[in-house]
Amino acid sequence: MTLTIGLLALMALPWAAAQPVNPVKIGMVGPLSGPSSDFGKPMLQGIELAVEEINAVGGYLGRPLNLVVKDDRGDPDAGLQAARELTAEGVVATIGYCNTGVAMKSLEVFQQAQSPLIIPCSTGTPLTSTYPAPQSYIFRTSARDAIQAPFVVDDLVRRGWTKVAVFADTTGYGEAGLKDVETALAKKNLKAVYVARFALGVKDLREQLTAARAAGANVVFSYTVGPENATIAIGRRDLQWDVPQVGAWPLSFPFFIDGAKQAAEGALMAQTFIAEPSNERRAAFLSAFVRKFKQKPAVPMAAAQAYDSTYLLTYALFGIRNGKFGGPAVKAALENIPRVYYGVVATYEHPFSLEDKDAISQNMLVMGKVRNGAVTFANPEDAKRNLFVQRKQ
């Protein structure tokens, strides 16, 4: 596969001397069961695909990468226990977390253990701002909500949808997302005409939707990760309230698209990756994924971001020539990746630094749209721009 060419070049460097053949342990944690498994499983699959490719060309100087996998079930306490187990088992770094609330409860474990964590899915803004950047061991390859929310708000304003009703769940994800939406609206001199808060598992939001309609809303901005997005869409349909539903990337999840069915049509969301073979890298990734797993990724963004995260970690490890993977050494290597990685989501040139632990910038985002039960480009100009993989700005 073309994405492994850079690793082959690294393997050919003069310092690639023989090393003891003991595996390099990499942690993985995410919701492999429970209500968030529809994006936890694709995250794991993306990591597994990258590990298979990397090991096929020699791993780290002849040492295979070995995944240590933990299921957090989307539960904060399970996520915390997984963090403790992974750091105790001596993984060189961990790739994981899909739920902001789960990740938030576990950050201190990684930070105190000086064990790097790369987050490929969770988007809550506080995750990479909890600790001062120079000291932080928390890295991320997903688009934080502080850039997703204003990106979507900009699109709404261009379309003339300025009377916004925000529906946010009461998890850490919904709480942080609501703040980011309100901040983005305020920068446009706007304020939500209605705000609804709800717990996960709610089955009927028609009362809140009726109130939003009465407040004059002409668009619903939803911030939740599970079936509740579908509950909102179905509620709008039942009320025959024909206004658009927009949001962050969870509107691309099966829980929404399959759960809401026809009511999901036309929904708009921020995306870093849309599963269309728009260039050679993305075509290669998608075909390799289907060959390995006999299916397309259920949540393409989760799979692609996790795949890129695994390669970025490996590129960083090649910057440690003596094979001594202490936490500070791996942190410094991630902050100073010497080679450009031509990834699926982006072209990564110095994705992290001492002062910046987020690899994704707003220019990498496109608007996705649910059409015929799948996510495609909402805007023709995004489809054209997507022919060229973006770099961080």
Side-chain angles (χ1 to χ4, degrees):
M1 191 174 164
T2 57
L3 294 177
T4 62
I5 292 174
L7 280 178
L8 287 169
L10 286 169
M11 291 292 294
L13 291 176
W15 46 267
Q19 296 287 325
V21 185
N22 57 309
V24 177
K25 292 196 294 184
I26 297 173
M28 181 277 162
V29 56
L32 306 180
S33 61
S36 293
S37 61
D38 63 344
F39 65 128
K41 290 178 180 176
M43 177 180 72
L44 174 59
Q45 290 172 323
I47 297 169
E48 289 176 331
L49 177 58
V51 166
E52 180 180 273
E53 292 174 355
I54 293 164
N55 284 341
V57 294
Y60 172 84
L61 307 185
R63 297 172 59 186
L65 307 186
N66 182 31
L67 282 180
V68 182
V69 177
K70 304 290 182 181
D71 180 8
D72 65 32
R73 308 190 304 277
D75 175 74
D77 290 331
L80 178 62
Q81 181 60 30
R84 290 169 174 162
E85 291 172 0
L86 288 168
T87 53
E89 290 180 40
V91 297
V92 301
T94 295
I95 302 171
Y97 292 110
C98 288
N99 304 90
T100 296
V102 179
M104 283 298 297
K105 191 162 185 175
S106 302
L107 294 185
E108 187 176 359
V109 173
F110 294 98
Q111 186 69 18
Q112 292 299 318
Q114 296 186 327
S115 181
L117 170 67
I118 304 174
I119 302 172
C121 286
S122 296
T123 59
T125 300
L127 293 175
T128 45
S129 60
T130 297
Y131 305 105
Q135 288 79 48
S136 180
Y137 281 76
I138 313 303
F139 299 78
R140 175 160 47 191
T141 57
S142 57
R144 65 192 184 277
D145 291 319
I147 63 174
Q148 285 197 68
F151 180 77
V152 176
V153 166
D154 286 347
D155 187 78
L156 300 186
V157 171
R158 283 195 297 270
R159 297 172 187 269
W161 302 337
T162 56
K163 296 180 180 179
V164 183
V166 184
F167 278 62
D169 67 37
T170 52
T171 67
Y173 174 72
E175 185 69 29
L178 173 60
K179 291 178 181 177
D180 287 327
V181 173
E182 290 177 330
T183 298
L185 288 171
K187 289 182 179 178
K188 299 288 185 181
N189 295 315
L190 297 172
K191 184 178 180 180
V193 299
Y194 180 81
V195 174
R197 304 303 305 278
F198 52 89
L200 294 184
V202 65
K203 302 299 183 184
D204 188 346
L205 288 165
R206 285 177 294 181
E207 181 180 345
Q208 293 88 336
L209 288 163
T210 298
R213 179 167 61 180
N218 61 4
V219 62
V220 173
F221 199 135
S222 56
Y223 242 101
T224 186
V225 297
E228 296 76 24
N229 274 318
T231 300
I232 294 167
I234 293 168
R236 289 190 299 103
R237 180 202 64 193
D238 291 348
L239 293 171
Q240 297 183 334
W241 186 30
D242 188 20
V243 296
Q245 184 170 344
V246 305
W249 72 302
L251 289 181
S252 66
F253 292 7
F255 263 141
F256 174 64
I257 297 174
D258 297 342
K261 295 183 171 61
Q262 189 61 33
E265 286 292 303
L268 299 168
M269 78 296 293
Q271 297 278 274
T272 61
F273 172 70
I274 290 177
E276 296 183 9
S278 52
N279 58 50
E280 183 182 358
R281 296 185 218 168
R282 289 168 179 156
F285 166 74
L286 291 169
S287 62
F289 191 99
V290 171
R291 281 197 305 271
K292 180 172 176 60
F293 299 108
K294 312 305 179 189
Q295 63 181 26
K296 296 179 180 179
V299 179
M301 274 180 60
Q305 290 170 178
Y307 177 90
D308 281 354
S309 299
T310 310
Y311 269 95
L312 286 173
L313 174 58
T314 305
Y315 271 51
L317 295 181
F318 274 108
I320 303 174
R321 304 189 179 194
N322 59 9
K324 295 181 179 179
F325 298 132
V330 177
K331 172 182 178 292
L334 284 164
E335 293 165 349
N336 297 279
I337 296 175
R339 297 173 63 90
V340 176
Y341 166 53
Y342 297 96
V344 176
V345 172
T347 294
Y348 300 91
E349 185 175 12
H350 305 300
F352 308 117
S353 70
L354 190 66
E355 299 293 340
D356 186 2
K357 299 302 190 289
D358 280 287
I360 301 298
S361 53
Q362 190 167 322
N363 65 297
M364 298 174 185
L365 299 177
V366 297
M367 286 299 295
K369 183 176 184 177
V370 178
R371 183 178 297 140
N372 298 323
V375 176
T376 187
F377 293 98
N379 305 312
E381 60 270 25
D382 282 342
K384 292 178 181 178
R385 186 168 63 90
N386 203 55
L387 294 171
F388 304 97
V389 184
Q390 300 297 304
R391 294 182 183 230
K392 186 175 181 178
Q393 291 181 357

